[in-house]
Amino acid sequence: MRTPPGPKLPFGIRRYRRDAAAIMGELHRDYGEVARFRVGPQVMYQVTGPGPISEVLHDKTGAYRRGQVYGGFELFFGKGSLTTDGEQWRTLRAAGQPFFRSGSLRPAVPTIADVITDMMDRWDALGAPDDPIDIVPEVMRLAFEVVTRVLCGCDLSERSTEVVAAIPHVLSGMFPGSPELLLPSWVPGPVRRRLRNTRAVINGVADTLVAQHLSGQLPPDRLVGTLFDTIDPATGAPLTRQQIADELKTYLLAGHETTGCGLAWTLYELAEHPDVTERLAAELERELDGRPPEAADLPRLPYLTQIVDEALRLHPAIPMFPRETTRDVEIGGYHLPARSTLFISSHTVHHDPRHWPEPDTFDPDRFAPDRPKPVPYTHFPFGGGARRCIGAPLAELEIQVAVAMITQRYRLTPQPGYPVDEHSLISLRPRFGLPMTITARREQPAR
Ligand code: HEM
């Protein structure tokens, strides 16, 4: 069987850290749907065709596991449902699943709307109306507060600023080839110190949640209480404090940064496309008449859904995700040896002109109800198969409600000439932030 094609020379680690999504795109263009490449000394593979991706994500034979790259995530996430496999993963996934059913999420919409209103009130109080606001830290705070309030039933808003400030260091520390991971653990210096401080912030939030649960301050039927009631099949005993803290960190980290990126890019695309924004504003006016949306309204807001789908196509918040082969495998007709690291790149597939004509154009009508549904694995911002993102229903709901409420209240204008670029360091963040001028559509009634 053939070895996948790929460039002879390796990519430098610095360029890979700076431009991973662009490199994935180039590899796909030059070598096709399964490609082999090196970053520094390490051989890796990428998979960018719907057929081969489906083979990997729906494998029933155990040929793929989380592997070395997800192992690096344990630095911050510990051993939670994102980083583990097998029985431990199944148990954690089953514990979290009920919180993402529509019956659990629908009643959460007023809570989500409250957090969004707090953010918009903060914007009103910030500086002169013509001063641009970088919306990236704003939406990150929003997403962090939504996860803690909806899943844990507690208000940790006073911690959101330090968490949001810590996240770029978390992403940098987890990315393959990071200086943090290359250094031996005993080497002192600024990188190690930053790593220690960042871990302390994230661990501190999980510890606070555990302490609040133990002192009876949290509703017992939310995520923390459920994890305390969960039995570890490996020991037959309840999960340990460490396992509980690891799973809480998983939800806090995986649940807020991604949704923040998705919302930031959606707002950016709307700001760049006033025609789309005004069509959305008309839909919102017709269906909501100025009030915040409730869960029951969302099916009557198809254009809103199309906009979010299209923004997540152009800018999938997790642009690529890894697997490791447990044994020799064949993917798309190519041979990959056991213990190979491979990346599935939704970003590349979402920009493939064979699936999406004029792929770089923002066009929500691609998802209009009268258009054919996308072919499987040509639009998959949340992954797929058994490991599909557990939080997808919350993320979509939150972004839709936020976009609706922000569009009802404001016009957002990007700062002219400001550089906008994607940086794919685990998630797909706006590299230089997204400063916007925020103008009220109409006077707000006093609260
Ligand atoms: C726009 C927002 C989001 C995007 C684009 C996104 C994307 C993804 C993707 C692609 C995966 C699959 C990774 C893989 O197969 O290796 C994943 C897994 C996961 N996501 Fe999300 N996610 C988002 C929001 C959320 C939210 C809101 C939560 C929780 C509150 C969450 C929690 C998780 C967890 C726990 C996993 C691991 C699931 C498992 O392996 O069983 N995500 N996410």
Side-chain angles (χ1 to χ4, degrees):
M1 229 186 306
R2 294 170 303 161
T3 299
K8 292 212 165 32
L9 292 177
F11 296 104
I13 290 179
R14 284 165 73 100
R15 174 160 185 234
Y16 188 61
R17 285 175 64 84
R18 198 174 58 240
D19 273 342
I23 287 177
M24 301 296 253
E26 283 168 28
L27 283 170
H28 173 78
R29 186 196 59 211
D30 296 342
Y31 301 102
E33 294 187 344
V34 184
R36 178 183 187 275
F37 65 106
R38 275 181 298 152
V39 176
Q42 191 173 6
V43 175
M44 299 193 264
Y45 300 84
Q46 78 162 9
V47 183
T48 49
I53 289 170
S54 174
E55 285 175 37
V56 177
L57 295 181
H58 293 272
D59 163 65
K60 296 259 185 305
T61 65
Y64 304 95
R65 63 181 166 218
R66 307 308 262 174
Q68 197 190 345
V69 177
Y70 269 123
F73 285 27
E74 288 180 17
L75 193 61
F76 296 99
F77 286 70
K79 292 183 187 301
S81 59
L82 184 72
T83 52
T84 54
D85 282 303
E87 257 324 282
Q88 188 178 356
W89 163 73
R90 243 184 302 282
T91 304
L92 293 170
R93 175 98 189 190
Q97 197 67 66
F99 295 96
F100 299 95
R101 301 218 172 94
S102 64
S104 304
L105 288 178
R106 292 167 72 89
V109 172
T111 305
I112 296 172
D114 282 349
V115 183
I116 297 164
T117 303
D118 288 348
M119 177 184 74
M120 296 194 298
D121 290 347
R122 199 165 64 228
W123 290 356
D124 287 345
L126 274 178
D130 290 342
D131 286 348
I133 296 175
D134 182 1
I135 60 161
V136 175
E138 292 295 313
V139 295
M140 294 295 170
R141 266 180 80 171
L142 168 77
F144 174 75
E145 290 172 27
V146 167
V147 169
T148 46
R149 286 183 61 177
V150 169
L151 295 183
C152 305
C154 82
D155 181 356
L156 288 183
S157 48
E158 83 283 0
R159 307 289 279 277
S160 61
T161 305
E162 61 169 345
V163 171
V164 167
I167 294 300
H169 305 308
V170 172
L171 299 170
S172 173
M174 292 190 313
F175 197 77
S178 72
E180 289 88 341
L181 296 179
L182 294 176
L183 286 173
S185 58
W186 48 266
V187 174
V191 172
R192 279 276 154 217
R193 202 165 40 247
R194 200 178 63 204
L195 189 63
R196 233 189 354 263
N197 294 345
T198 305
R199 292 184 65 190
V201 170
I202 308 301
N203 290 338
V205 175
D207 292 346
T208 302
L209 285 168
V210 167
Q212 288 196 358
H213 169 81
L214 291 173
S215 60
Q217 293 175 60
L218 299 184
D221 61 345
R222 309 307 300 155
L223 182 64
V224 191
T226 302
L227 292 174
F228 266 88
D229 291 342
T230 299
I231 301 295
D232 180 351
T235 59
L239 297 181
T240 62
R241 291 282 161 83
Q242 188 61 56
Q243 287 173 308
I244 293 171
D246 285 357
E247 189 62 348
L248 291 173
K249 286 188 286 184
T250 297
Y251 280 102
L252 295 174
L253 294 174
H256 96 266
E257 216 270 337
T258 45
T259 312
C261 289
L263 177 55
W265 285 118
T266 311
L267 293 175
Y268 167 73
E269 292 296 346
L270 284 172
E272 284 286 324
H273 296 88
D275 50 329
V276 174
T277 308
E278 291 316 309
R279 193 171 141 193
L280 172 64
E283 178 179 89
L284 297 169
E285 183 67 31
R286 194 172 58 242
E287 297 297 335
L288 304 178
D289 195 19
R291 67 177 170 78
E294 291 165 19
D297 296 314
L298 294 172
R300 290 198 312 279
L301 300 169
Y303 197 53
L304 173 64
T305 312
Q306 288 171 227
I307 287 168
V308 176
D309 286 347
E310 174 66 344
L312 290 175
R313 179 191 70 80
L314 267 181
H315 312 282
I318 299 294
M320 62 192 79
F321 47 92
R323 291 289 185 275
E324 186 175 280
T325 55
T326 57
R327 53 178 164 75
D328 285 23
V329 295
E330 186 203 322
I331 306 178
Y334 291 103
H335 173 252
L336 269 61
R339 299 184 62 78
S340 297
T341 294
L342 58 100
F343 285 93
I344 292 173
S345 172
S346 53
H347 189 275
T348 308
V349 182
H350 289 186
H351 287 77
D352 184 337
R354 293 177 308 166
H355 311 306
W356 302 100
E358 295 189 45
D360 299 335
T361 305
F362 178 70
D363 175 13
D365 278 329
R366 296 178 200 270
F367 293 93
D370 58 350
R371 296 273 188 99
K373 289 256 167 296
V375 169
Y377 294 111
T378 56
H379 183 258
F380 59 111
F382 297 104
R387 306 295 300 246
R388 184 175 193 270
C389 176
I390 195 171
L394 172 60
E396 286 175 318
L397 182 71
E398 180 180 340
I399 298 175
Q400 287 168 6
V401 173
V403 167
M405 291 177 67
I406 293 168
T407 306
Q408 283 171 307
R409 187 150 151 184
Y410 301 112
R411 279 194 183 82
L412 270 52
T413 316
Q415 205 180 337
Y418 191 86
V420 174
D421 192 18
E422 296 176 335
H423 189 199
S424 50
L425 201 66
I426 312 283
S427 61
L428 195 70
R429 282 174 86 98
R431 195 186 295 268
F432 309 110
L434 289 175
M436 304 256 188
T437 309
I438 296 176
T439 324
R441 277 182 184 270
R442 55 181 166 209
E443 279 302 302
Q444 287 305 306
R447 289 224 299 165

